Amino acid sequence: MLRSLLIGLVAGQRAMTPLVLLSGAAQRGTLPRGGPAVELLAHPLVAWGTAALAAGEMAGDKMRSAPDRTVPAGLIARSLTAAFAGAMLAPRGRQGEGAILAVATAIGASYLGLALRRRAMARYGQSSSGFVEDAIVLASGAAVVGLTSAGRRG
């Protein structure tokens, strides 16, 4: 269940990042077997689409007009991707619990992340703080997927 919790942290910061990370893992064959939609995530068109969505979200985040991640639409998007990713990374037979855990974590992480980002923006600016946040989100998300890969080998 740790992977579900951790991917919820990622989704709380960037809604689309869990999808692109899962798609990459599906293409490499490192997702747990029997997870929902593994074949769909592995499709090249889906991989390109999730990458485009994630890149667009990261670029949009640097704009002054970007809404807070805690607006209802943002929380809904984060909840949906967290639920899907949490279920994908949960142990067999515990997908529902993994989805719930990931959603709860994503919502809490959205509020905490926004508070931290506002402090960073006041000190370093919107773009600089956004690039650092992107790097942290991508690295931590890749580590979660790495846990999935390591768990599959072991």
Side-chain angles (χ1 to χ4, degrees):
M1 298 303 286
L2 177 62
R3 294 178 288 205
S4 297
L5 180 129
L6 294 173
I7 204 69
L9 290 173
V10 172
Q13 307 318 303
R14 297 288 184 271
M16 297 297 127
T17 300
L19 297 181
V20 74
L21 293 169
L22 288 175
S23 183
Q27 286 189 313
R28 291 187 304 277
T30 58
L31 284 179
R33 296 185 197 278
V38 173
E39 293 81 20
L40 178 64
L41 283 170
H43 192 280
L45 187 58
V46 173
W48 280 98
T50 58
L53 288 170
E57 180 183 26
M58 288 183 179
D61 176 67
K62 312 310 175 286
M63 300 173 75
R64 294 202 186 279
S65 61
D68 288 343
R69 65 192 75 194
T70 57
V71 299
L75 288 177
I76 289 169
R78 283 163 172 64
S79 295
L80 291 172
T81 60
F84 179 74
M88 292 286 295
L89 298 175
R92 184 178 294 252
R94 298 186 69 190
Q95 287 86 3
E97 294 169 52
I100 291 167
L101 179 60
V103 169
T105 304
I107 291 171
S110 294
Y111 284 95
L112 178 60
L114 178 60
L116 293 172
R117 176 72 184 278
R118 283 183 174 158
R119 290 180 74 186
M121 284 180 8
R123 186 165 185 178
Y124 303 107
Q126 185 165 358
S127 293
S128 297
S129 63
F131 286 121
V132 170
E133 186 178 26
D134 290 344
I136 292 168
V137 168
L138 286 172
S140 59
V144 173
V145 172
L147 289 173
T148 302
S149 300
R152 186 157 182 235
R153 284 191 297 262

